[in-house]
Amino acid sequence: MSRGRSDEKTGSPAGFPPVPLGALCCPHCQSPLAQRDRALRCTSGHSFDLAKQGYVNLLGSGNGDTTQMVAARDEFLSAGHYAPLARLVAHEAAHDLRRDALVVDAGTGTGYYLSATLARAPAASGLGMDTSTAALRRAARAHPGIGAVAWDLWKPWPLRPQSADVIMNIFAPRNLIECHRVLRPEGTLVVVTPDSTHLAELRAYVDMLDVDADKLTRLDSSLQAQFSLTGRHDCEIELTLEPADVHRVVHMGPNAYHVQEGALASVTHALTVTAAFVVSVYRRNS
């Protein structure tokens, strides 16, 4: 039976997927949420509208990535430049998932990595959280098994304790208290961080944010009391980027807030650059 949830007349999602909905709770009173008509409601009367694009805003207002940043990211990722990273993340996150498992993507963006994971584990479902409603409009449509929610990751998450089988954290803030609370015992936490050499070739053309060389040491130290490292993988991707994609890769993340207008004007030809990431896999201690 198809798991699709599009309304045939409008092309918009018709409902929130049942597995992530069952894991959600009201951010005001922590009561379970249920869908009634085009809203998620709790027994205390709090109500959150289901947007026509399929996401639910539990946050109210946010200041996430802009429409321009999201468009740049969607265009860059859709071109397949980071497909090897998506395959590696999906392999680690989807490994041995039970039926009806829940994968939570904390900082999902456009849902690119979450949809790749669900494509590898079709019996699982996903919940993507992000502050950017511009990104969530795309995430909600990235895969029929994704439920997309606007939320601030630094706040207590609107999820039941031990409701997630896997949590993915890819270039996003890490709320380790909530990761431990929401993840089931022996559940998997997949963290993706840029390597210190990530896109180093572009620094000859534009002043980009530095990546801390001690990032992994600090990551392991912060997790060691509640999680055990079970695997770590380097992922290097050599890319030949046309000027338009150079602009996209610089402007699709935090560098967009720091790069001066016209800083990439000197990039008039294709550049060969190396994208470098580290995928760290942890198990939640009982």
Side-chain angles (χ1 to χ4, degrees):
M1 181 180 294
S2 172
R3 298 183 64 199
R5 53 191 178 99
S6 294
D7 185 307
E8 293 182 356
K9 294 182 179 179
T10 65
S12 62
F16 208 86
V19 173
L21 178 57
L24 283 174
C25 58
C26 176
H28 301 301
C29 64
Q30 289 71 58
S31 299
L33 291 171
Q35 183 175 347
R36 298 192 185 96
D37 300 321
R38 297 290 299 173
L40 303 188
R41 308 175 192 273
C42 74
T43 54
S44 299
H46 301 116
S47 181
F48 309 91
D49 290 340
L50 184 65
K52 65 179 181 180
Q53 297 91 349
Y55 71 90
V56 175
N57 192 339
L58 300 182
L59 185 60
S61 61
N63 57 350
D65 293 345
T66 65
T67 300
Q68 292 79 10
M69 291 169 67
V70 170
R73 186 182 312 154
D74 191 43
E75 291 165 1
F76 185 85
L77 294 176
S78 295
H81 297 304
Y82 286 179
L85 176 62
R87 288 193 293 269
L88 179 55
V89 168
H91 173 77
E92 294 298 332
H95 179 67
D96 200 29
L97 281 180
R98 63 182 175 84
R99 185 170 185 81
D100 292 332
L102 178 63
V103 180
V104 172
D105 190 1
T108 193
T110 62
Y112 177 73
Y113 300 99
L114 182 55
S115 63
T117 298
L118 297 184
R120 191 179 181 96
S125 296
L127 179 75
M129 294 188 294
D130 206 287
T131 55
S132 172
T133 55
L136 292 171
R137 293 186 189 106
R138 300 173 190 260
R141 297 173 178 271
H143 188 281
I146 292 177
V149 170
W151 191 250
D152 182 349
L153 297 179
W154 290 122
K155 295 183 177 182
W157 296 356
L159 288 166
R160 294 186 293 102
Q162 300 184 12
S163 56
D165 297 84
V166 175
I167 294 177
M168 304 187 338
N169 182 262
I170 303 173
F171 321 127
R174 284 180 293 279
N175 187 332
L176 300 182
I177 293 175
E178 286 302 283
C179 284
H180 188 267
R181 182 186 69 83
V182 168
L183 198 60
R184 66 171 177 79
E186 305 296 316
T188 299
L189 172 64
V190 180
V191 180
V192 180
T193 52
D195 184 78
S196 58
T197 62
H198 180 57
L199 302 178
E201 299 89 345
L202 292 183
R203 298 183 186 280
Y205 299 89
V206 63
D207 185 19
M208 298 177 65
L209 296 173
D210 291 328
V211 179
D212 186 356
D214 295 326
K215 196 177 188 71
L216 289 180
T217 301
R218 293 189 292 104
L219 175 64
D220 289 344
S221 178
S222 66
L223 285 164
Q224 64 182 356
Q226 297 176 315
F227 295 86
S228 299
L229 180 68
T230 60
R232 175 158 285 155
H233 311 279
D234 294 323
C235 180
E236 288 194 357
I237 311 168
E238 186 174 286
L239 301 170
T240 299
L241 301 180
E242 296 296 330
D245 269 332
V246 172
H247 184 277
R248 291 179 182 116
V249 77
V250 170
H251 288 85
M252 71 184 198
N255 284 296
Y257 296 112
H258 302 276
V259 173
Q260 297 295 319
E261 185 72 26
L264 293 171
S266 61
V267 180
T268 58
H269 58 283
L271 299 180
T272 299
V273 303
T274 303
F277 312 99
V278 181
V279 179
S280 302
V281 185
Y282 301 87
R283 183 183 67 248
R284 181 193 188 274
N285 297 332
S286 300

